[in-house]
Amino acid sequence: MNTANQSDQIMYEAKQALSRQVQNRSIGMKSRALKRTHFWKKLGRMAIATGAILVGAGVIGTIINGLGFAGVMATGLAVAAALYVFANYPKMKVPRAENLSREKLDVLAGKTEIWLEAQRPALPAPAAKLVDGIGVQLDALAPQLQRLDEREPAAMEVRKLVGEHLPELITGFRRIPPHLQKEERNGRTPEEQLVGGLKTIEQEIDSMTRKIANGELDQLAVRERYLELKYHGAEDTAN
């Protein structure tokens, strides 16, 4: 493969990488915004790298009185390679489940959505559909979180629900071997318990959003025992 073809191939792969990132479906506006920020940072790095290579090539051309055909092709290949690298790296990091409860309130919804998107392919269809609905609820909750102080009890309740109960429910289900996820125990299967828990969490996020919006912070409380039964039931099935 000659230099021109190599350059074209690298450019094509870089465009495909960027296209995949743009088209990656988001479950909410907040995760989409985080991805967009990451995407524009990549474009910025690509522009800086391209500019640096072209300036460097220009300086070298001035010193040696012209780059010649080989120099021009080498410059093109270097630009294409730089675009490929910055189109693919760095990858956007998926938050770790154990870190969600420590995220700042202004990014908690978006980071949780990013994490949910990474879990969705491993979930049964009914649960994946509920995850999409939770993304909508998190988008509605996000503006209300801007009103909360990190030290307020309401903020701690939000972290408990979104940053602890939600990831524990899903990770608990994923720890169950696939062949046992549809096996009934105590009248319910782990899949049914997962779906029930996600429905409860979706309702609780909506309730929190309404209460914070109405200033009812003193009434904000998570139905802890009910949620524990939902996600611990799935974990118990695995044991």
Side-chain angles (χ1 to χ4, degrees):
M1 182 181 294
N2 60 38
T3 303
N5 288 339
Q6 287 178 324
S7 178
D8 290 342
Q9 179 64 26
I10 293 173
M11 289 290 288
Y12 172 77
E13 292 176 359
K15 289 178 181 178
Q16 290 295 103
L18 286 175
S19 178
R20 286 193 296 270
Q21 293 170 39
V22 172
Q23 295 174 6
N24 184 24
R25 188 168 72 87
S26 301
I27 65 171
M29 293 184 296
K30 294 303 177 181
S31 63
R32 191 177 302 119
L34 290 176
K35 292 177 186 176
R36 189 181 301 118
T37 299
H38 183 72
F39 174 77
W40 283 111
K41 286 181 178 179
K42 281 193 170 186
L43 285 184
R45 295 187 189 99
M46 292 165 72
I48 292 172
T50 300
I53 292 171
L54 294 178
V55 169
V59 171
I60 293 173
T62 300
I63 294 174
I64 65 175
N65 197 26
L67 292 175
F69 178 76
V72 171
M73 295 306 295
T75 299
L77 184 59
V79 169
L83 294 180
Y84 175 80
V85 169
F86 286 112
N88 286 279
Y89 305 99
K91 302 287 188 183
M92 185 167 190
K93 293 182 179 179
V94 176
R96 297 175 64 87
E98 58 269 26
N99 294 336
L100 286 175
S101 62
R102 296 193 292 270
E103 295 288 352
K104 292 183 178 180
L105 289 178
D106 59 348
V107 297
L108 177 59
K111 291 293 184 70
T112 302
E113 289 173 10
I114 293 288
W115 184 83
L116 287 172
E117 290 166 11
Q119 313 309 309
R120 185 174 51 185
L123 301 179
K129 186 175 181 180
L130 283 167
V131 164
D132 291 340
I134 289 174
V136 175
Q137 294 296 341
L138 288 171
D139 280 342
L141 175 64
Q144 307 305 327
L145 296 182
Q146 307 298 322
R147 299 171 51 187
L148 294 182
D149 186 284
E150 294 277 355
R151 297 162 294 182
E152 288 187 36
M156 291 186 286
E157 295 295 345
V158 170
R159 290 185 185 283
K160 188 178 296 183
L161 177 64
V162 176
E164 294 181 18
H165 289 311
L166 177 57
E168 285 175 7
L169 172 65
I170 293 177
T171 55
F173 173 80
R174 293 195 61 184
R175 284 195 294 267
I176 300 173
H179 69 283
L180 296 178
Q181 292 175 356
K182 295 180 180 294
E183 185 175 291
E184 185 174 313
R185 184 175 180 182
N186 299 324
R188 302 183 74 192
T189 68
E191 282 194 6
E192 291 171 339
Q193 292 170 336
L194 172 66
V195 169
L198 289 174
K199 285 181 179 178
T200 300
I201 287 175
E202 184 178 20
Q203 294 166 359
E204 288 296 332
I205 294 174
D206 178 63
S207 175
M208 283 185 168
T209 302
R210 294 175 186 275
K211 287 179 178 179
I212 296 174
N214 293 332
E216 300 172 0
L217 301 182
D218 56 327
Q219 299 179 23
L220 187 57
V222 179
R223 292 195 297 271
E224 182 116 20
R225 178 169 174 75
Y226 187 54
L227 286 170
E228 286 181 352
L229 289 173
K230 288 292 184 182
Y231 71 78
H232 282 313
E235 293 176 359
D236 292 341
T237 305
N239 297 326

PDB file of all heavy atoms in Angstrom, residues 74-94:
ATOM      1  N   ALA A  74       4.592  12.503   3.275  1.00  0.00           N
ATOM      2  CA  ALA A  74       4.901  12.149   4.655  1.00  0.00           C
ATOM      3  C   ALA A  74       4.129  13.048   5.621  1.00  0.00           C
ATOM      4  O   ALA A  74       3.641  12.590   6.666  1.00  0.00           O
ATOM      5  CB  ALA A  74       6.397  12.259   4.907  1.00  0.00           C
ATOM      6  N   THR A  75       4.012  14.340   5.266  1.00  0.00           N
ATOM      7  CA  THR A  75       3.243  15.265   6.100  1.00  0.00           C
ATOM      8  C   THR A  75       1.779  14.850   6.147  1.00  0.00           C
ATOM      9  O   THR A  75       1.143  14.844   7.213  1.00  0.00           O
ATOM     10  CB  THR A  75       3.364  16.693   5.560  1.00  0.00           C
ATOM     11  OG1 THR A  75       4.730  17.090   5.579  1.00  0.00           O
ATOM     12  CG2 THR A  75       2.549  17.660   6.409  1.00  0.00           C
ATOM     13  N   GLY A  76       1.247  14.499   4.983  1.00  0.00           N
ATOM     14  CA  GLY A  76      -0.147  14.049   4.932  1.00  0.00           C
ATOM     15  C   GLY A  76      -0.375  12.803   5.762  1.00  0.00           C
ATOM     16  O   GLY A  76      -1.386  12.676   6.466  1.00  0.00           O
ATOM     17  N   LEU A  77       0.586  11.882   5.694  1.00  0.00           N
ATOM     18  CA  LEU A  77       0.473  10.654   6.474  1.00  0.00           C
ATOM     19  C   LEU A  77       0.545  10.955   7.970  1.00  0.00           C
ATOM     20  O   LEU A  77      -0.192  10.373   8.767  1.00  0.00           O
ATOM     21  CB  LEU A  77       1.588   9.683   6.078  1.00  0.00           C
ATOM     22  CG  LEU A  77       1.563   8.298   6.737  1.00  0.00           C
ATOM     23  CD1 LEU A  77       0.260   7.571   6.417  1.00  0.00           C
ATOM     24  CD2 LEU A  77       2.756   7.465   6.286  1.00  0.00           C
ATOM     25  N   ALA A  78       1.422  11.887   8.354  1.00  0.00           N
ATOM     26  CA  ALA A  78       1.547  12.260   9.762  1.00  0.00           C
ATOM     27  C   ALA A  78       0.258  12.905  10.271  1.00  0.00           C
ATOM     28  O   ALA A  78      -0.190  12.628  11.393  1.00  0.00           O
ATOM     29  CB  ALA A  78       2.725  13.211   9.947  1.00  0.00           C
ATOM     30  N   VAL A  79      -0.347  13.764   9.445  1.00  0.00           N
ATOM     31  CA  VAL A  79      -1.619  14.397   9.824  1.00  0.00           C
ATOM     32  C   VAL A  79      -2.695  13.342   9.988  1.00  0.00           C
ATOM     33  O   VAL A  79      -3.461  13.336  10.969  1.00  0.00           O
ATOM     34  CB  VAL A  79      -2.043  15.443   8.778  1.00  0.00           C
ATOM     35  CG1 VAL A  79      -3.483  15.897   9.023  1.00  0.00           C
ATOM     36  CG2 VAL A  79      -1.105  16.645   8.810  1.00  0.00           C
ATOM     37  N   ALA A  80      -2.784  12.426   9.020  1.00  0.00           N
ATOM     38  CA  ALA A  80      -3.798  11.373   9.091  1.00  0.00           C
ATOM     39  C   ALA A  80      -3.616  10.514  10.330  1.00  0.00           C
ATOM     40  O   ALA A  80      -4.578  10.156  11.014  1.00  0.00           O
ATOM     41  CB  ALA A  80      -3.735  10.510   7.825  1.00  0.00           C
ATOM     42  N   ALA A  81      -2.363  10.179  10.637  1.00  0.00           N
ATOM     43  CA  ALA A  81      -2.084   9.352  11.816  1.00  0.00           C
ATOM     44  C   ALA A  81      -2.479  10.085  13.099  1.00  0.00           C
ATOM     45  O   ALA A  81      -3.052   9.488  14.017  1.00  0.00           O
ATOM     46  CB  ALA A  81      -0.607   8.982  11.852  1.00  0.00           C
ATOM     47  N   ALA A  82      -2.174  11.379  13.161  1.00  0.00           N
ATOM     48  CA  ALA A  82      -2.532  12.164  14.350  1.00  0.00           C
ATOM     49  C   ALA A  82      -4.050  12.229  14.518  1.00  0.00           C
ATOM     50  O   ALA A  82      -4.574  12.088  15.634  1.00  0.00           O
ATOM     51  CB  ALA A  82      -1.949  13.565  14.245  1.00  0.00           C
ATOM     52  N   LEU A  83      -4.763  12.411  13.406  1.00  0.00           N
ATOM     53  CA  LEU A  83      -6.219  12.463  13.473  1.00  0.00           C
ATOM     54  C   LEU A  83      -6.790  11.127  13.941  1.00  0.00           C
ATOM     55  O   LEU A  83      -7.741  11.081  14.721  1.00  0.00           O
ATOM     56  CB  LEU A  83      -6.796  12.832  12.107  1.00  0.00           C
ATOM     57  CG  LEU A  83      -6.476  14.243  11.606  1.00  0.00           C
ATOM     58  CD1 LEU A  83      -7.107  14.481  10.236  1.00  0.00           C
ATOM     59  CD2 LEU A  83      -6.960  15.301  12.593  1.00  0.00           C
ATOM     60  N   TYR A  84      -6.209  10.053  13.475  1.00  0.00           N
ATOM     61  CA  TYR A  84      -6.678   8.717  13.882  1.00  0.00           C
ATOM     62  C   TYR A  84      -6.481   8.516  15.379  1.00  0.00           C
ATOM     63  O   TYR A  84      -7.383   8.044  16.082  1.00  0.00           O
ATOM     64  CB  TYR A  84      -5.924   7.637  13.103  1.00  0.00           C
ATOM     65  CG  TYR A  84      -6.274   6.240  13.557  1.00  0.00           C
ATOM     66  CD1 TYR A  84      -7.435   5.620  13.117  1.00  0.00           C
ATOM     67  CD2 TYR A  84      -5.450   5.551  14.450  1.00  0.00           C
ATOM     68  CE1 TYR A  84      -7.776   4.344  13.556  1.00  0.00           C
ATOM     69  CE2 TYR A  84      -5.778   4.285  14.892  1.00  0.00           C
ATOM     70  CZ  TYR A  84      -6.938   3.679  14.436  1.00  0.00           C
ATOM     71  OH  TYR A  84      -7.264   2.430  14.874  1.00  0.00           O
ATOM     72  N   VAL A  85      -5.309   8.871  15.863  1.00  0.00           N
ATOM     73  CA  VAL A  85      -5.006   8.676  17.281  1.00  0.00           C
ATOM     74  C   VAL A  85      -5.954   9.484  18.156  1.00  0.00           C
ATOM     75  O   VAL A  85      -6.548   8.967  19.115  1.00  0.00           O
ATOM     76  CB  VAL A  85      -3.542   9.056  17.589  1.00  0.00           C
ATOM     77  CG1 VAL A  85      -3.307   9.103  19.101  1.00  0.00           C
ATOM     78  CG2 VAL A  85      -2.592   8.053  16.948  1.00  0.00           C
ATOM     79  N   PHE A  86      -6.136  10.771  17.818  1.00  0.00           N
ATOM     80  CA  PHE A  86      -6.963  11.632  18.668  1.00  0.00           C
ATOM     81  C   PHE A  86      -8.450  11.394  18.459  1.00  0.00           C
ATOM     82  O   PHE A  86      -9.262  11.801  19.294  1.00  0.00           O
ATOM     83  CB  PHE A  86      -6.613  13.097  18.428  1.00  0.00           C
ATOM     84  CG  PHE A  86      -5.299  13.490  19.039  1.00  0.00           C
ATOM     85  CD1 PHE A  86      -4.214  13.815  18.240  1.00  0.00           C
ATOM     86  CD2 PHE A  86      -5.127  13.511  20.404  1.00  0.00           C
ATOM     87  CE1 PHE A  86      -2.991  14.166  18.792  1.00  0.00           C
ATOM     88  CE2 PHE A  86      -3.910  13.858  20.973  1.00  0.00           C
ATOM     89  CZ  PHE A  86      -2.842  14.181  20.166  1.00  0.00           C
ATOM     90  N   ALA A  87      -8.829  10.744  17.347  1.00  0.00           N
ATOM     91  CA  ALA A  87     -10.234  10.365  17.166  1.00  0.00           C
ATOM     92  C   ALA A  87     -10.597   9.176  18.042  1.00  0.00           C
ATOM     93  O   ALA A  87     -11.754   9.001  18.430  1.00  0.00           O
ATOM     94  CB  ALA A  87     -10.511  10.041  15.703  1.00  0.00           C
ATOM     95  N   ASN A  88      -9.617   8.349  18.356  1.00  0.00           N
ATOM     96  CA  ASN A  88      -9.875   7.133  19.122  1.00  0.00           C
ATOM     97  C   ASN A  88      -9.469   7.233  20.588  1.00  0.00           C
ATOM     98  O   ASN A  88      -9.981   6.489  21.429  1.00  0.00           O
ATOM     99  CB  ASN A  88      -9.138   5.955  18.489  1.00  0.00           C
ATOM    100  CG  ASN A  88      -9.793   5.483  17.202  1.00  0.00           C
ATOM    101  OD1 ASN A  88     -10.770   4.748  17.221  1.00  0.00           O
ATOM    102  ND2 ASN A  88      -9.256   5.934  16.069  1.00  0.00           N
ATOM    103  N   TYR A  89      -8.550   8.122  20.906  1.00  0.00           N
ATOM    104  CA  TYR A  89      -8.027   8.231  22.268  1.00  0.00           C
ATOM    105  C   TYR A  89      -7.961   9.698  22.694  1.00  0.00           C
ATOM    106  O   TYR A  89      -7.726  10.563  21.857  1.00  0.00           O
ATOM    107  CB  TYR A  89      -6.632   7.587  22.358  1.00  0.00           C
ATOM    108  CG  TYR A  89      -6.610   6.161  21.884  1.00  0.00           C
ATOM    109  CD1 TYR A  89      -6.179   5.852  20.598  1.00  0.00           C
ATOM    110  CD2 TYR A  89      -7.042   5.125  22.694  1.00  0.00           C
ATOM    111  CE1 TYR A  89      -6.171   4.528  20.143  1.00  0.00           C
ATOM    112  CE2 TYR A  89      -7.039   3.807  22.255  1.00  0.00           C
ATOM    113  CZ  TYR A  89      -6.602   3.528  20.972  1.00  0.00           C
ATOM    114  OH  TYR A  89      -6.605   2.233  20.532  1.00  0.00           O
ATOM    115  N   PRO A  90      -8.166   9.978  23.970  1.00  0.00           N
ATOM    116  CA  PRO A  90      -8.516   9.027  25.024  1.00  0.00           C
ATOM    117  C   PRO A  90      -9.987   8.633  24.959  1.00  0.00           C
ATOM    118  O   PRO A  90     -10.824   9.430  24.517  1.00  0.00           O
ATOM    119  CB  PRO A  90      -8.215   9.805  26.311  1.00  0.00           C
ATOM    120  CG  PRO A  90      -8.459  11.227  25.929  1.00  0.00           C
ATOM    121  CD  PRO A  90      -8.009  11.348  24.488  1.00  0.00           C
ATOM    122  N   LYS A  91     -10.291   7.419  25.369  1.00  0.00           N
ATOM    123  CA  LYS A  91     -11.672   6.972  25.424  1.00  0.00           C
ATOM    124  C   LYS A  91     -12.395   7.688  26.567  1.00  0.00           C
ATOM    125  O   LYS A  91     -11.790   8.077  27.555  1.00  0.00           O
ATOM    126  CB  LYS A  91     -11.738   5.458  25.687  1.00  0.00           C
ATOM    127  CG  LYS A  91     -11.020   4.609  24.650  1.00  0.00           C
ATOM    128  CD  LYS A  91     -11.780   4.568  23.351  1.00  0.00           C
ATOM    129  CE  LYS A  91     -11.139   3.561  22.384  1.00  0.00           C
ATOM    130  NZ  LYS A  91     -11.828   3.547  21.075  1.00  0.00           N
ATOM    131  N   MET A  92     -13.694   7.862  26.379  1.00  0.00           N
ATOM    132  CA  MET A  92     -14.470   8.446  27.466  1.00  0.00           C
ATOM    133  C   MET A  92     -14.608   7.406  28.575  1.00  0.00           C
ATOM    134  O   MET A  92     -15.039   6.281  28.338  1.00  0.00           O
ATOM    135  CB  MET A  92     -15.859   8.868  26.980  1.00  0.00           C
ATOM    136  CG  MET A  92     -16.652   9.589  28.050  1.00  0.00           C
ATOM    137  SD  MET A  92     -18.107  10.407  27.389  1.00  0.00           S
ATOM    138  CE  MET A  92     -18.603  11.369  28.818  1.00  0.00           C
ATOM    139  N   LYS A  93     -14.242   7.775  29.789  1.00  0.00           N
ATOM    140  CA  LYS A  93     -14.250   6.833  30.902  1.00  0.00           C
ATOM    141  C   LYS A  93     -15.675   6.612  31.405  1.00  0.00           C
ATOM    142  O   LYS A  93     -16.435   7.558  31.586  1.00  0.00           O
ATOM    143  CB  LYS A  93     -13.370   7.351  32.040  1.00  0.00           C
ATOM    144  CG  LYS A  93     -11.889   7.402  31.706  1.00  0.00           C
ATOM    145  CD  LYS A  93     -11.075   7.880  32.906  1.00  0.00           C
ATOM    146  CE  LYS A  93      -9.592   7.913  32.590  1.00  0.00           C
ATOM    147  NZ  LYS A  93      -8.784   8.399  33.744  1.00  0.00           N
ATOM    148  N   VAL A  94     -15.994   5.355  31.614  1.00  0.00           N
ATOM    149  CA  VAL A  94     -17.270   5.016  32.243  1.00  0.00           C
ATOM    150  C   VAL A  94     -17.062   5.046  33.752  1.00  0.00           C
ATOM    151  O   VAL A  94     -16.150   4.393  34.270  1.00  0.00           O
ATOM    152  CB  VAL A  94     -17.746   3.609  31.812  1.00  0.00           C
ATOM    153  CG1 VAL A  94     -19.026   3.227  32.563  1.00  0.00           C
ATOM    154  CG2 VAL A  94     -17.970   3.563  30.312  1.00  0.00           C
TER     155      VAL A  94
END
